[in-house]
Amino acid sequence: MLKVNHISKMYEDGTKAITDINLHIQNGDIYGFIGANGAGKSTTIKAIVGIHHFNQGEIWIDGYSIKTDPVNCKKRIAFIPDNPDLYEHLTGLQYISFIADIFEVPLTERKQSIEKYSTIFEMTSKLNNSIASYSHGMKQRIALIAALVHKPALFILDEPFVGLDPTASFELKRLMQEHAENGGAVFFSTHVLEVAQKLCNKVAIIHKGSLVKNGLMEEVAGSKSLEEIFMEVRNESKNMDIIQK
Amino acid sequence: MNQKIWILFKNDLASSIPFHQLFRSAKQGNGVKITFAALLLMGIFLLIYNTLTAKTLVSLGQTALIPAYMLSVSSIMMIFLSLLRANGTIFGSSDFEQLSTYPVSEKEIFISKLLHLYFFHLLVSLLFTIPVLLVWAPDDAASPLLILLFFITALIIPVIPICIGVIFGSLVYHLAAYFRQMKLIAVSFSLILLGMFSYFIITQSNQTSDMQNIGAFLYRQMTNIYLPSVLLQFDSADHIFHILAFIFISCLLLILLILTGSKYYRKLNLRLLALKSNNNVKQKAIKQRSIFFALWKQEINTLFSSYNYLLNSILGTVLLIFLSMALLLFGVEKLTALIPMSVSSGTITNIFPTFSAALLLISNPTTAALSMEGNKIWILKTLPIEQRRVIHAKLACTFSLHLSGFWISIIAFIIRLSPNMEQLIWAILIPLSYSAFITTFGLMLNFSNPNFSWKNDMYIVKQSPPVLISAFTGMAIVIVPLALILFQVLPLYIIYLALSILLISLAVIFYRRTCTIKLI
């Protein structure tokens, strides 16, 4: 479904943002992406969905290259950013319809999807309200409904649980599981390690732009909690820094 | 000055013009450098023009009139600017909510916003006051006391235009806030206001016809247009009290504005904020639209969602529609009677294509169309569509705007000026060529130099590099052919034919170039 092959990105001033990232997400996977603030999670995700360019490597989505065939890649993705800045002058329904138009979702199909997901995320009565009047969580839900309306094969979510209330958060987790069970794939970044441990079958930990752990949850965490693993990675890095100094 | 006001002012200024980027590396600071270069160039032109005007007044023996003339002209210009700038800076500003959380009073915020307007207006007024100091001050008649008073007046001069702009701007928003389509109504009111003000200036400047005494003529013209000019007389020490009265009135107006405006600042902004979150939207049936239509509709929605963007984008088209309607209703003779020089109907027919094209050039939302995406650019970047489609939608938005004014102008042209076939062809071809040129040029500039990290769209819409470069280019491509036509350097058909071929060829080049600039 998604292959990230040795991608690296460097900023204009020469700073390395991410180095040699390798990921392989298969159908049925729920893949957690963990790292501290500024570790390179969002940069990697933005490179995958085609927001950022990258200097080296290649990204394949369902056999299509994001570099040479971005349109076919993006058709297969539902992307939710960490801070869903949406067109505030539109209503929720107008925004979802706009996305559905771009993805050329047939009318009956989109009506069903809008009804289904707005019920799940309790947005039915608010669909005709202006997005400007929405809270952060409501924007997140509208972004989710819009992303799901075209039935994507791959969900890519950047910090999806931030701002969601417990019900919406629960529904999202349920949807992610359902999607993976139905042969789709989910790749998401999070700081909520307990959720990642419960939800994911695979996990990758990124530290200072490089992957330090990557694989099946049992292989990465073993008998420990993901939190302990994450702290070990941090402490090892700190020790290395001290030694280098 | 209160420390808090100063901090708020500096922060506001840095948000609207990122001075700090001037000293950054080439790529990061390029946009700001271009903006500064363009503004500087514009300033130098105006400075030279005003110095030449002042010297002309000297040669006409009207040296004493120079300070009053320059201050009056700069005031009129500042009234226009403040009418366009007050809303968006003080009322309906995007930083209202953030500022409300700071431990500062509404009065302090309001004063800092006034300071922001004052800073820009002072820069404009300097372009008029520097020539006065260069030409009038060295003259024997200008005593040191008068020069000192002039200097003080020059610092005070932006106050009245700012007061007028803020009062009318708040009135516009206050009235528009009663309507559901608040932004559209506000823009319509602002355009009506600007139209009325322009009409007032044109009619008042034509009321004086005594050209024998140029001094008396200019004095009457000035005072007819801008009443406070009666107090701006620097010809002798006898008028010191007039000048002092002007300074006193300006200060009094400012104090009154601060006292009343700061009370009203929160109330009006809260009302505008409530309207922004308006939930009284009619439920519409879910429809399926083509990708092009969906993107085009989104562009139109963005255009109508911002007061500054809409006002700047439709000014030329509205002016074209208004003048075309006036031409249809009143005919050529009555309209040309408003111009202070005699123009034949033949000349009007000949310059009509360039004139209507010039008005279309003012309406060019493509220069800001990409930057207006702001932090929502992720949406476009992640949509599964070729970049070409986004480009088409953005171009189509501007073309739609141009066409709405264009067809009315053509009808008025046919009915009132009875053109022959050749003239009609030019009247159609020339505005369309200009439209194709400026939209593709504006979009190419914006794609080459996008800015998605703005806080207030005023910077993007009014003073970003694409907007300034496009405005300069627009002026140049109108002035050159117009001069060639009026001075009959070449036959009309050669000028128009060459122009349309050139502009359409350039439009094709710009379009192709834009398609190659990767958004990512």
Short mmCIF file of all heavy atoms in Angstrom, two decimals, chain B residues 185-236:
data_model
loop_
_atom_site.label_atom_id
_atom_site.label_comp_id
_atom_site.label_asym_id
_atom_site.label_seq_id
_atom_site.Cartn_x
_atom_site.Cartn_y
_atom_site.Cartn_z
N ILE B 185 -21.92 43.65 1.19
CA ILE B 185 -22.59 44.93 1.42
C ILE B 185 -21.56 45.98 1.83
O ILE B 185 -21.59 47.12 1.36
CB ILE B 185 -23.68 44.78 2.52
CG1 ILE B 185 -24.71 43.73 2.11
CG2 ILE B 185 -24.33 46.12 2.86
CD1 ILE B 185 -25.63 44.10 0.97
N ALA B 186 -20.62 45.59 2.71
CA ALA B 186 -19.58 46.53 3.16
C ALA B 186 -18.75 47.02 1.97
O ALA B 186 -18.46 48.21 1.85
CB ALA B 186 -18.67 45.86 4.19
N VAL B 187 -18.40 46.09 1.08
CA VAL B 187 -17.63 46.48 -0.10
C VAL B 187 -18.46 47.39 -0.99
O VAL B 187 -17.97 48.42 -1.49
CB VAL B 187 -17.16 45.23 -0.88
CG1 VAL B 187 -16.60 45.59 -2.23
CG2 VAL B 187 -16.10 44.48 -0.08
N SER B 188 -19.75 47.08 -1.15
CA SER B 188 -20.62 47.92 -1.98
C SER B 188 -20.71 49.32 -1.38
O SER B 188 -20.59 50.32 -2.10
CB SER B 188 -22.03 47.33 -2.05
OG SER B 188 -21.96 46.01 -2.47
N PHE B 189 -20.91 49.40 -0.06
CA PHE B 189 -20.97 50.72 0.59
C PHE B 189 -19.66 51.49 0.39
O PHE B 189 -19.65 52.68 0.12
CB PHE B 189 -21.26 50.57 2.08
CG PHE B 189 -22.69 50.26 2.40
CD1 PHE B 189 -23.04 49.67 3.61
CD2 PHE B 189 -23.71 50.55 1.51
CE1 PHE B 189 -24.36 49.37 3.92
CE2 PHE B 189 -25.05 50.26 1.80
CZ PHE B 189 -25.36 49.66 3.01
N SER B 190 -18.55 50.77 0.55
CA SER B 190 -17.23 51.42 0.39
C SER B 190 -17.07 51.95 -1.02
O SER B 190 -16.57 53.08 -1.22
CB SER B 190 -16.10 50.44 0.68
OG SER B 190 -16.19 49.98 1.98
N LEU B 191 -17.50 51.16 -2.00
CA LEU B 191 -17.38 51.60 -3.40
C LEU B 191 -18.28 52.81 -3.67
O LEU B 191 -17.88 53.75 -4.35
CB LEU B 191 -17.73 50.45 -4.35
CG LEU B 191 -16.73 49.32 -4.42
CD1 LEU B 191 -17.27 48.16 -5.23
CD2 LEU B 191 -15.41 49.79 -5.02
N ILE B 192 -19.49 52.77 -3.10
CA ILE B 192 -20.41 53.92 -3.26
C ILE B 192 -19.76 55.16 -2.66
O ILE B 192 -19.77 56.24 -3.24
CB ILE B 192 -21.78 53.62 -2.61
CG1 ILE B 192 -22.49 52.52 -3.42
CG2 ILE B 192 -22.65 54.86 -2.53
CD1 ILE B 192 -23.71 51.93 -2.74
N LEU B 193 -19.18 54.97 -1.49
CA LEU B 193 -18.53 56.09 -0.79
C LEU B 193 -17.38 56.66 -1.62
O LEU B 193 -17.26 57.88 -1.80
CB LEU B 193 -17.99 55.56 0.54
CG LEU B 193 -17.78 56.55 1.66
CD1 LEU B 193 -19.09 57.16 2.08
CD2 LEU B 193 -17.16 55.84 2.85
N LEU B 194 -16.54 55.76 -2.14
CA LEU B 194 -15.41 56.20 -2.97
C LEU B 194 -15.92 56.89 -4.23
O LEU B 194 -15.38 57.91 -4.67
CB LEU B 194 -14.54 55.00 -3.35
CG LEU B 194 -13.69 54.40 -2.23
CD1 LEU B 194 -13.09 53.08 -2.68
CD2 LEU B 194 -12.59 55.35 -1.82
N GLY B 195 -17.00 56.34 -4.81
CA GLY B 195 -17.59 56.93 -6.01
C GLY B 195 -18.12 58.32 -5.73
O GLY B 195 -17.88 59.26 -6.50
N MET B 196 -18.83 58.45 -4.61
CA MET B 196 -19.39 59.76 -4.25
C MET B 196 -18.28 60.77 -4.02
O MET B 196 -18.37 61.92 -4.43
CB MET B 196 -20.26 59.62 -3.00
CG MET B 196 -21.65 59.06 -3.30
SD MET B 196 -22.53 58.48 -1.84
CE MET B 196 -22.56 59.90 -0.81
N PHE B 197 -17.23 60.31 -3.36
CA PHE B 197 -16.11 61.19 -3.05
C PHE B 197 -15.40 61.63 -4.35
O PHE B 197 -15.07 62.81 -4.53
CB PHE B 197 -15.14 60.46 -2.12
CG PHE B 197 -14.09 61.34 -1.53
CD1 PHE B 197 -14.44 62.41 -0.72
CD2 PHE B 197 -12.75 61.11 -1.78
CE1 PHE B 197 -13.46 63.23 -0.17
CE2 PHE B 197 -11.77 61.92 -1.24
CZ PHE B 197 -12.13 62.98 -0.44
N SER B 198 -15.23 60.67 -5.27
CA SER B 198 -14.59 61.00 -6.56
C SER B 198 -15.46 61.98 -7.35
O SER B 198 -14.96 62.94 -7.93
CB SER B 198 -14.39 59.74 -7.40
OG SER B 198 -13.76 58.77 -6.66
N TYR B 199 -16.78 61.73 -7.35
CA TYR B 199 -17.70 62.61 -8.07
C TYR B 199 -17.64 64.02 -7.48
O TYR B 199 -17.61 65.01 -8.20
CB TYR B 199 -19.12 62.04 -7.97
CG TYR B 199 -20.14 62.88 -8.69
CD1 TYR B 199 -20.22 62.85 -10.09
CD2 TYR B 199 -21.03 63.70 -8.00
CE1 TYR B 199 -21.16 63.63 -10.77
CE2 TYR B 199 -21.95 64.48 -8.67
CZ TYR B 199 -22.02 64.45 -10.05
OH TYR B 199 -22.92 65.22 -10.72
N PHE B 200 -17.59 64.09 -6.16
CA PHE B 200 -17.51 65.38 -5.48
C PHE B 200 -16.24 66.13 -5.92
O PHE B 200 -16.29 67.32 -6.24
CB PHE B 200 -17.49 65.14 -3.96
CG PHE B 200 -17.24 66.37 -3.13
CD1 PHE B 200 -18.24 67.30 -2.94
CD2 PHE B 200 -15.99 66.59 -2.56
CE1 PHE B 200 -18.00 68.44 -2.18
CE2 PHE B 200 -15.74 67.71 -1.81
CZ PHE B 200 -16.75 68.65 -1.61
N ILE B 201 -15.13 65.42 -5.97
CA ILE B 201 -13.86 66.05 -6.36
C ILE B 201 -13.95 66.57 -7.81
O ILE B 201 -13.57 67.71 -8.10
CB ILE B 201 -12.68 65.06 -6.20
CG1 ILE B 201 -12.42 64.85 -4.72
CG2 ILE B 201 -11.42 65.57 -6.89
CD1 ILE B 201 -11.38 63.80 -4.42
N ILE B 202 -14.48 65.72 -8.70
CA ILE B 202 -14.55 66.11 -10.12
C ILE B 202 -15.45 67.34 -10.29
O ILE B 202 -15.07 68.31 -10.93
CB ILE B 202 -15.07 64.93 -10.98
CG1 ILE B 202 -14.04 63.81 -11.01
CG2 ILE B 202 -15.38 65.38 -12.40
CD1 ILE B 202 -14.55 62.50 -11.57
N THR B 203 -16.62 67.30 -9.66
CA THR B 203 -17.55 68.43 -9.85
C THR B 203 -17.02 69.70 -9.18
O THR B 203 -17.11 70.79 -9.75
CB THR B 203 -18.95 68.10 -9.28
OG1 THR B 203 -18.78 67.57 -7.97
CG2 THR B 203 -19.67 67.10 -10.14
N GLN B 204 -16.43 69.55 -8.01
CA GLN B 204 -15.92 70.73 -7.31
C GLN B 204 -14.72 71.35 -8.03
O GLN B 204 -14.57 72.56 -8.07
CB GLN B 204 -15.52 70.39 -5.87
CG GLN B 204 -16.68 70.05 -4.96
CD GLN B 204 -17.72 71.14 -4.88
OE1 GLN B 204 -17.43 72.31 -4.63
NE2 GLN B 204 -18.97 70.78 -5.15
N SER B 205 -13.89 70.52 -8.63
CA SER B 205 -12.72 71.09 -9.32
C SER B 205 -13.12 71.77 -10.63
O SER B 205 -12.39 72.61 -11.13
CB SER B 205 -11.64 70.04 -9.57
OG SER B 205 -12.20 68.82 -9.87
N ASN B 206 -14.30 71.45 -11.15
CA ASN B 206 -14.75 72.10 -12.37
C ASN B 206 -15.57 73.36 -12.11
O ASN B 206 -15.95 74.06 -13.04
CB ASN B 206 -15.60 71.12 -13.21
CG ASN B 206 -14.73 70.09 -13.87
OD1 ASN B 206 -13.50 70.23 -13.88
ND2 ASN B 206 -15.33 69.06 -14.42
N GLN B 207 -15.86 73.61 -10.84
CA GLN B 207 -16.73 74.75 -10.54
C GLN B 207 -16.04 76.09 -10.73
O GLN B 207 -16.68 77.10 -10.97
CB GLN B 207 -17.25 74.64 -9.12
CG GLN B 207 -18.57 73.84 -9.09
CD GLN B 207 -19.26 73.92 -7.75
OE1 GLN B 207 -18.84 74.68 -6.89
NE2 GLN B 207 -20.31 73.14 -7.60
N THR B 208 -14.72 76.08 -10.57
CA THR B 208 -13.99 77.34 -10.73
C THR B 208 -13.51 77.44 -12.18
O THR B 208 -12.88 76.54 -12.70
CB THR B 208 -12.78 77.38 -9.79
OG1 THR B 208 -12.14 76.13 -9.87
CG2 THR B 208 -13.18 77.67 -8.37
N SER B 209 -13.85 78.55 -12.82
CA SER B 209 -13.48 78.67 -14.23
C SER B 209 -12.60 79.88 -14.52
O SER B 209 -12.18 80.09 -15.65
CB SER B 209 -14.75 78.74 -15.07
OG SER B 209 -15.56 79.79 -14.58
N ASP B 210 -12.29 80.65 -13.46
CA ASP B 210 -11.48 81.85 -13.67
C ASP B 210 -10.01 81.48 -13.81
O ASP B 210 -9.28 81.37 -12.82
CB ASP B 210 -11.69 82.79 -12.46
CG ASP B 210 -10.80 84.02 -12.58
OD1 ASP B 210 -10.38 84.35 -13.70
OD2 ASP B 210 -10.54 84.65 -11.52
N MET B 211 -9.60 81.22 -15.06
CA MET B 211 -8.23 80.78 -15.28
C MET B 211 -7.26 81.96 -15.42
O MET B 211 -6.05 81.77 -15.55
CB MET B 211 -8.16 79.91 -16.55
CG MET B 211 -8.86 78.55 -16.40
SD MET B 211 -8.00 77.44 -15.30
CE MET B 211 -6.66 76.91 -16.36
N GLN B 212 -7.81 83.18 -15.41
CA GLN B 212 -6.94 84.35 -15.58
C GLN B 212 -5.97 84.48 -14.40
O GLN B 212 -4.79 84.66 -14.57
CB GLN B 212 -7.80 85.65 -15.69
CG GLN B 212 -8.76 85.65 -16.87
CD GLN B 212 -8.03 85.54 -18.20
OE1 GLN B 212 -7.00 86.14 -18.42
NE2 GLN B 212 -8.58 84.72 -19.10
N ASN B 213 -6.56 84.34 -13.19
CA ASN B 213 -5.72 84.42 -12.00
C ASN B 213 -5.50 83.00 -11.49
O ASN B 213 -6.33 82.43 -10.79
CB ASN B 213 -6.44 85.28 -10.96
CG ASN B 213 -5.58 85.47 -9.73
OD1 ASN B 213 -4.55 84.82 -9.56
ND2 ASN B 213 -6.00 86.39 -8.88
N ILE B 214 -4.35 82.43 -11.87
CA ILE B 214 -4.08 81.02 -11.55
C ILE B 214 -4.04 80.77 -10.04
O ILE B 214 -4.48 79.73 -9.55
CB ILE B 214 -2.78 80.54 -12.26
CG1 ILE B 214 -2.63 79.02 -12.15
CG2 ILE B 214 -1.55 81.22 -11.73
CD1 ILE B 214 -3.47 78.27 -13.12
N GLY B 215 -3.55 81.76 -9.30
CA GLY B 215 -3.47 81.63 -7.84
C GLY B 215 -4.85 81.51 -7.23
O GLY B 215 -5.13 80.59 -6.45
N ALA B 216 -5.73 82.43 -7.63
CA ALA B 216 -7.10 82.41 -7.10
C ALA B 216 -7.81 81.13 -7.54
O ALA B 216 -8.57 80.53 -6.78
CB ALA B 216 -7.85 83.63 -7.60
N PHE B 217 -7.52 80.70 -8.78
CA PHE B 217 -8.16 79.49 -9.32
C PHE B 217 -7.78 78.26 -8.48
O PHE B 217 -8.64 77.50 -8.04
CB PHE B 217 -7.72 79.32 -10.78
CG PHE B 217 -8.07 77.98 -11.37
CD1 PHE B 217 -9.36 77.70 -11.77
CD2 PHE B 217 -7.10 76.99 -11.52
CE1 PHE B 217 -9.69 76.46 -12.31
CE2 PHE B 217 -7.42 75.75 -12.05
CZ PHE B 217 -8.72 75.49 -12.45
N LEU B 218 -6.48 78.13 -8.24
CA LEU B 218 -6.02 76.96 -7.48
C LEU B 218 -6.52 76.99 -6.04
O LEU B 218 -6.91 75.97 -5.49
CB LEU B 218 -4.48 76.91 -7.48
CG LEU B 218 -3.83 76.43 -8.78
CD1 LEU B 218 -2.33 76.58 -8.71
CD2 LEU B 218 -4.19 74.98 -9.07
N TYR B 219 -6.54 78.23 -5.49
CA TYR B 219 -6.99 78.38 -4.10
C TYR B 219 -8.45 77.94 -3.98
O TYR B 219 -8.84 77.19 -3.09
CB TYR B 219 -6.83 79.82 -3.64
CG TYR B 219 -7.35 80.04 -2.24
CD1 TYR B 219 -6.63 79.58 -1.14
CD2 TYR B 219 -8.57 80.68 -2.01
CE1 TYR B 219 -7.11 79.76 0.15
CE2 TYR B 219 -9.05 80.87 -0.73
CZ TYR B 219 -8.32 80.40 0.34
OH TYR B 219 -8.81 80.56 1.63
N ARG B 220 -9.30 78.40 -4.95
CA ARG B 220 -10.71 78.06 -4.91
C ARG B 220 -10.91 76.55 -5.12
O ARG B 220 -11.72 75.92 -4.47
CB ARG B 220 -11.47 78.86 -5.98
CG ARG B 220 -12.50 79.81 -5.32
CD ARG B 220 -13.15 80.69 -6.34
NE ARG B 220 -12.33 81.84 -6.63
CZ ARG B 220 -12.21 82.39 -7.83
NH1 ARG B 220 -12.83 81.86 -8.86
NH2 ARG B 220 -11.46 83.46 -8.01
N GLN B 221 -10.13 76.02 -6.05
CA GLN B 221 -10.23 74.58 -6.32
C GLN B 221 -9.90 73.76 -5.06
O GLN B 221 -10.62 72.84 -4.69
CB GLN B 221 -9.27 74.23 -7.44
CG GLN B 221 -9.67 72.98 -8.19
CD GLN B 221 -8.74 72.68 -9.34
OE1 GLN B 221 -7.51 72.82 -9.21
NE2 GLN B 221 -9.30 72.30 -10.47
N MET B 222 -8.82 74.18 -4.41
CA MET B 222 -8.39 73.48 -3.20
C MET B 222 -9.44 73.54 -2.10
O MET B 222 -9.80 72.54 -1.48
CB MET B 222 -7.11 74.13 -2.63
CG MET B 222 -5.86 73.52 -3.12
SD MET B 222 -4.40 74.49 -2.71
CE MET B 222 -4.86 75.83 -1.71
N THR B 223 -9.93 74.74 -1.86
CA THR B 223 -10.89 74.91 -0.75
C THR B 223 -12.24 74.28 -1.08
O THR B 223 -12.96 73.86 -0.17
CB THR B 223 -11.06 76.40 -0.40
OG1 THR B 223 -11.31 77.12 -1.60
CG2 THR B 223 -9.84 76.95 0.28
N ASN B 224 -12.58 74.26 -2.36
CA ASN B 224 -13.83 73.59 -2.74
C ASN B 224 -13.76 72.11 -2.46
O ASN B 224 -14.72 71.49 -2.00
CB ASN B 224 -14.12 73.77 -4.24
CG ASN B 224 -14.76 75.11 -4.54
OD1 ASN B 224 -15.17 75.82 -3.63
ND2 ASN B 224 -14.84 75.47 -5.80
N ILE B 225 -12.61 71.53 -2.78
CA ILE B 225 -12.47 70.07 -2.61
C ILE B 225 -12.21 69.71 -1.16
O ILE B 225 -12.80 68.78 -0.62
CB ILE B 225 -11.32 69.54 -3.50
CG1 ILE B 225 -11.65 69.78 -4.97
CG2 ILE B 225 -11.10 68.04 -3.26
CD1 ILE B 225 -10.50 69.49 -5.91
N TYR B 226 -11.30 70.42 -0.53
CA TYR B 226 -10.89 70.08 0.83
C TYR B 226 -10.97 71.34 1.70
O TYR B 226 -10.06 72.16 1.73
CB TYR B 226 -9.46 69.53 0.79
CG TYR B 226 -8.99 68.90 2.08
CD1 TYR B 226 -9.63 67.80 2.62
CD2 TYR B 226 -7.90 69.41 2.77
CE1 TYR B 226 -9.21 67.23 3.80
CE2 TYR B 226 -7.45 68.84 3.96
CZ TYR B 226 -8.12 67.75 4.47
OH TYR B 226 -7.69 67.19 5.65
N LEU B 227 -12.07 71.42 2.41
CA LEU B 227 -12.37 72.64 3.16
C LEU B 227 -11.27 73.09 4.14
O LEU B 227 -10.96 74.29 4.21
CB LEU B 227 -13.70 72.47 3.90
CG LEU B 227 -14.29 73.73 4.52
CD1 LEU B 227 -14.61 74.77 3.47
CD2 LEU B 227 -15.54 73.39 5.33
N PRO B 228 -10.64 72.17 4.87
CA PRO B 228 -9.59 72.61 5.81
C PRO B 228 -8.46 73.39 5.14
O PRO B 228 -7.67 74.06 5.82
CB PRO B 228 -9.06 71.31 6.41
CG PRO B 228 -10.18 70.34 6.25
CD PRO B 228 -10.87 70.72 4.99
N SER B 229 -8.39 73.35 3.79
CA SER B 229 -7.34 74.09 3.08
C SER B 229 -7.41 75.59 3.36
O SER B 229 -6.39 76.29 3.23
CB SER B 229 -7.47 73.89 1.57
OG SER B 229 -7.43 72.54 1.26
N VAL B 230 -8.60 76.09 3.73
CA VAL B 230 -8.71 77.54 3.99
C VAL B 230 -7.78 77.97 5.12
O VAL B 230 -7.38 79.13 5.21
CB VAL B 230 -10.17 77.96 4.32
CG1 VAL B 230 -11.06 77.87 3.10
CG2 VAL B 230 -10.72 77.19 5.48
N LEU B 231 -7.46 77.01 5.98
CA LEU B 231 -6.58 77.35 7.12
C LEU B 231 -5.10 77.13 6.80
O LEU B 231 -4.24 77.51 7.57
CB LEU B 231 -6.96 76.50 8.34
CG LEU B 231 -8.38 76.69 8.87
CD1 LEU B 231 -8.68 75.67 9.95
CD2 LEU B 231 -8.57 78.10 9.43
N LEU B 232 -4.84 76.52 5.65
CA LEU B 232 -3.45 76.18 5.34
C LEU B 232 -2.82 77.24 4.44
O LEU B 232 -2.55 77.01 3.27
CB LEU B 232 -3.39 74.81 4.66
CG LEU B 232 -3.85 73.62 5.49
CD1 LEU B 232 -3.95 72.37 4.64
CD2 LEU B 232 -2.89 73.37 6.65
N GLN B 233 -2.59 78.40 4.98
CA GLN B 233 -1.98 79.46 4.17
C GLN B 233 -0.64 79.86 4.78
O GLN B 233 -0.58 80.30 5.93
CB GLN B 233 -2.91 80.65 4.10
CG GLN B 233 -4.17 80.32 3.30
CD GLN B 233 -5.12 81.49 3.29
OE1 GLN B 233 -4.77 82.57 2.86
NE2 GLN B 233 -6.31 81.26 3.79
N PHE B 234 0.36 79.68 3.98
CA PHE B 234 1.72 79.95 4.47
C PHE B 234 2.34 81.14 3.73
O PHE B 234 3.54 81.23 3.60
CB PHE B 234 2.60 78.70 4.29
CG PHE B 234 2.20 77.56 5.17
CD1 PHE B 234 1.16 76.72 4.83
CD2 PHE B 234 2.85 77.34 6.38
CE1 PHE B 234 0.79 75.68 5.64
CE2 PHE B 234 2.49 76.29 7.19
CZ PHE B 234 1.45 75.45 6.83
N ASP B 235 1.49 82.05 3.23
CA ASP B 235 2.02 83.16 2.43
C ASP B 235 2.55 84.31 3.28
O ASP B 235 3.43 85.04 2.85
CB ASP B 235 0.97 83.65 1.43
CG ASP B 235 -0.40 83.84 2.06
OD1 ASP B 235 -0.54 83.47 3.25
OD2 ASP B 235 -1.31 84.32 1.38
N SER B 236 2.02 84.51 4.48
CA SER B 236 2.58 85.56 5.33
C SER B 236 2.35 85.21 6.80
O SER B 236 1.52 84.35 7.11
CB SER B 236 1.94 86.91 5.00
OG SER B 236 0.64 86.97 5.57
#
